[in-house]
mmCIF file of all heavy atoms in Angstrom:
data_model
loop_
_atom_site.group_PDB
_atom_site.id
_atom_site.type_symbol
_atom_site.label_atom_id
_atom_site.label_comp_id
_atom_site.label_asym_id
_atom_site.label_seq_id
_atom_site.Cartn_x
_atom_site.Cartn_y
_atom_site.Cartn_z
ATOM 1 N N THR A 836 66.861 -39.340 67.369
ATOM 2 C CA THR A 836 66.034 -40.254 66.587
ATOM 3 C C THR A 836 66.279 -40.015 65.107
ATOM 4 O O THR A 836 66.267 -38.876 64.652
ATOM 5 C CB THR A 836 64.548 -40.020 66.927
ATOM 6 O OG1 THR A 836 64.387 -40.176 68.336
ATOM 7 C CG2 THR A 836 63.647 -40.981 66.197
ATOM 8 N N ILE A 837 66.499 -41.068 64.354
ATOM 9 C CA ILE A 837 66.739 -40.949 62.917
ATOM 10 C C ILE A 837 65.412 -40.748 62.192
ATOM 11 O O ILE A 837 64.458 -41.506 62.409
ATOM 12 C CB ILE A 837 67.463 -42.195 62.378
ATOM 13 C CG1 ILE A 837 68.845 -42.303 63.026
ATOM 14 C CG2 ILE A 837 67.572 -42.153 60.860
ATOM 15 C CD1 ILE A 837 69.562 -43.591 62.726
ATOM 16 N N VAL A 838 65.337 -39.728 61.365
ATOM 17 C CA VAL A 838 64.157 -39.457 60.540
ATOM 18 C C VAL A 838 64.336 -40.285 59.271
ATOM 19 O O VAL A 838 65.213 -40.002 58.461
ATOM 20 C CB VAL A 838 64.032 -37.955 60.223
ATOM 21 C CG1 VAL A 838 62.801 -37.686 59.378
ATOM 22 C CG2 VAL A 838 64.007 -37.134 61.507
ATOM 23 N N ASP A 839 63.526 -41.321 59.104
ATOM 24 C CA ASP A 839 63.761 -42.332 58.072
ATOM 25 C C ASP A 839 62.592 -42.423 57.099
ATOM 26 O O ASP A 839 61.517 -42.911 57.458
ATOM 27 C CB ASP A 839 64.001 -43.685 58.748
ATOM 28 C CG ASP A 839 64.526 -44.750 57.803
ATOM 29 O OD1 ASP A 839 64.371 -44.603 56.568
ATOM 30 O OD2 ASP A 839 65.084 -45.746 58.301
ATOM 31 N N SER A 840 62.832 -41.979 55.867
ATOM 32 C CA SER A 840 61.771 -42.030 54.854
ATOM 33 C C SER A 840 61.580 -43.440 54.304
ATOM 34 O O SER A 840 60.597 -43.702 53.618
ATOM 35 C CB SER A 840 62.081 -41.064 53.711
ATOM 36 O OG SER A 840 63.283 -41.448 53.062
ATOM 37 N N PRO A 907 66.664 -45.364 67.659
ATOM 38 C CA PRO A 907 65.264 -45.273 67.238
ATOM 39 C C PRO A 907 65.140 -44.659 65.841
ATOM 40 O O PRO A 907 65.931 -43.786 65.464
ATOM 41 C CB PRO A 907 64.621 -44.377 68.290
ATOM 42 C CG PRO A 907 65.733 -43.682 68.981
ATOM 43 C CD PRO A 907 66.964 -44.502 68.800
ATOM 44 N N LEU A 908 64.163 -45.139 65.094
ATOM 45 C CA LEU A 908 63.856 -44.618 63.762
ATOM 46 C C LEU A 908 62.451 -44.045 63.772
ATOM 47 O O LEU A 908 61.514 -44.688 64.241
ATOM 48 C CB LEU A 908 63.911 -45.729 62.705
ATOM 49 C CG LEU A 908 65.188 -46.542 62.572
ATOM 50 C CD1 LEU A 908 65.001 -47.650 61.532
ATOM 51 C CD2 LEU A 908 66.358 -45.658 62.207
ATOM 52 N N MET A 909 62.304 -42.830 63.250
ATOM 53 C CA MET A 909 60.996 -42.205 63.105
ATOM 54 C C MET A 909 60.558 -42.382 61.654
ATOM 55 O O MET A 909 61.201 -41.876 60.736
ATOM 56 C CB MET A 909 61.083 -40.714 63.455
ATOM 57 C CG MET A 909 59.748 -40.002 63.375
ATOM 58 S SD MET A 909 59.876 -38.259 63.843
ATOM 59 C CE MET A 909 60.437 -37.539 62.299
ATOM 60 N N SER A 910 59.478 -43.113 61.436
ATOM 61 C CA SER A 910 58.973 -43.394 60.099
ATOM 62 C C SER A 910 58.289 -42.163 59.516
ATOM 63 O O SER A 910 57.288 -41.682 60.056
ATOM 64 C CB SER A 910 57.977 -44.554 60.163
ATOM 65 O OG SER A 910 57.222 -44.628 58.975
ATOM 66 N N VAL A 911 58.807 -41.653 58.395
ATOM 67 C CA VAL A 911 58.213 -40.485 57.747
ATOM 68 C C VAL A 911 56.798 -40.813 57.264
ATOM 69 O O VAL A 911 55.887 -40.000 57.421
ATOM 70 C CB VAL A 911 59.107 -39.982 56.588
ATOM 71 C CG1 VAL A 911 58.391 -38.922 55.755
ATOM 72 C CG2 VAL A 911 60.416 -39.434 57.142
ATOM 73 N N VAL A 921 56.341 -33.557 55.771
ATOM 74 C CA VAL A 921 57.756 -33.572 56.131
ATOM 75 C C VAL A 921 58.533 -32.965 54.977
ATOM 76 O O VAL A 921 58.365 -33.363 53.827
ATOM 77 C CB VAL A 921 58.241 -35.009 56.439
ATOM 78 C CG1 VAL A 921 59.716 -35.008 56.813
ATOM 79 C CG2 VAL A 921 57.405 -35.629 57.556
ATOM 80 N N PHE A 923 62.405 -32.008 53.627
ATOM 81 C CA PHE A 923 63.840 -32.236 53.768
ATOM 82 C C PHE A 923 64.597 -31.158 53.011
ATOM 83 O O PHE A 923 64.206 -30.780 51.906
ATOM 84 C CB PHE A 923 64.229 -33.599 53.189
ATOM 85 C CG PHE A 923 63.730 -34.769 53.980
ATOM 86 C CD1 PHE A 923 62.496 -35.339 53.702
ATOM 87 C CD2 PHE A 923 64.497 -35.308 54.992
ATOM 88 C CE1 PHE A 923 62.032 -36.426 54.422
ATOM 89 C CE2 PHE A 923 64.043 -36.408 55.726
ATOM 90 C CZ PHE A 923 62.812 -36.960 55.436
ATOM 91 N N VAL A 930 58.948 -30.925 60.254
ATOM 92 C CA VAL A 930 57.663 -31.620 60.226
ATOM 93 C C VAL A 930 56.618 -30.556 60.500
ATOM 94 O O VAL A 930 56.696 -29.832 61.496
ATOM 95 C CB VAL A 930 57.585 -32.722 61.311
ATOM 96 C CG1 VAL A 930 56.207 -33.364 61.317
ATOM 97 C CG2 VAL A 930 58.671 -33.770 61.095
ATOM 98 N N PHE A 941 64.269 -30.684 62.375
ATOM 99 C CA PHE A 941 65.272 -31.712 62.594
ATOM 100 C C PHE A 941 66.537 -31.344 61.834
ATOM 101 O O PHE A 941 66.516 -30.495 60.944
ATOM 102 C CB PHE A 941 64.763 -33.120 62.239
ATOM 103 C CG PHE A 941 64.200 -33.285 60.851
ATOM 104 C CD1 PHE A 941 65.011 -33.615 59.781
ATOM 105 C CD2 PHE A 941 62.845 -33.138 60.621
ATOM 106 C CE1 PHE A 941 64.485 -33.801 58.508
ATOM 107 C CE2 PHE A 941 62.298 -33.318 59.359
ATOM 108 C CZ PHE A 941 63.132 -33.651 58.295
ATOM 109 N N ILE A 947 72.829 -37.868 57.824
ATOM 110 C CA ILE A 947 71.698 -38.557 58.434
ATOM 111 C C ILE A 947 70.797 -37.500 59.066
ATOM 112 O O ILE A 947 71.257 -36.627 59.790
ATOM 113 C CB ILE A 947 72.164 -39.567 59.512
ATOM 114 C CG1 ILE A 947 73.032 -40.654 58.867
ATOM 115 C CG2 ILE A 947 70.964 -40.183 60.220
ATOM 116 C CD1 ILE A 947 73.670 -41.592 59.867
ATOM 117 N N TYR A 948 69.500 -37.590 58.774
ATOM 118 C CA TYR A 948 68.539 -36.659 59.353
ATOM 119 C C TYR A 948 68.141 -37.162 60.746
ATOM 120 O O TYR A 948 67.761 -38.330 60.889
ATOM 121 C CB TYR A 948 67.301 -36.543 58.461
ATOM 122 C CG TYR A 948 67.603 -35.892 57.128
ATOM 123 C CD1 TYR A 948 67.887 -36.660 56.002
ATOM 124 C CD2 TYR A 948 67.617 -34.505 57.011
ATOM 125 C CE1 TYR A 948 68.172 -36.051 54.786
ATOM 126 C CE2 TYR A 948 67.901 -33.899 55.798
ATOM 127 C CZ TYR A 948 68.181 -34.681 54.696
ATOM 128 O OH TYR A 948 68.475 -34.080 53.500
ATOM 129 N N THR A 949 68.257 -36.292 61.743
ATOM 130 C CA THR A 949 67.941 -36.694 63.116
ATOM 131 C C THR A 949 67.068 -35.643 63.802
ATOM 132 O O THR A 949 67.219 -34.445 63.576
ATOM 133 C CB THR A 949 69.212 -36.895 63.970
ATOM 134 O OG1 THR A 949 69.923 -35.661 64.061
ATOM 135 C CG2 THR A 949 70.104 -37.975 63.389
ATOM 136 N N MET A 950 66.161 -36.130 64.641
ATOM 137 C CA MET A 950 65.308 -35.254 65.446
ATOM 138 C C MET A 950 65.514 -35.625 66.913
ATOM 139 O O MET A 950 65.593 -36.805 67.249
ATOM 140 C CB MET A 950 63.835 -35.425 65.078
ATOM 141 C CG MET A 950 62.896 -34.594 65.951
ATOM 142 S SD MET A 950 61.164 -34.801 65.515
ATOM 143 C CE MET A 950 61.035 -33.547 64.230
#
Side-chain angles (χ1 to χ4, degrees):
T836 304
I837 296 172
V838 180
D839 191 340
S840 63
L908 304 176
M909 182 178 83
S910 165
V911 170
V921 180
F923 291 90
V930 176
F941 54 88
I947 297 173
Y948 293 95
T949 62
M950 176 180 273

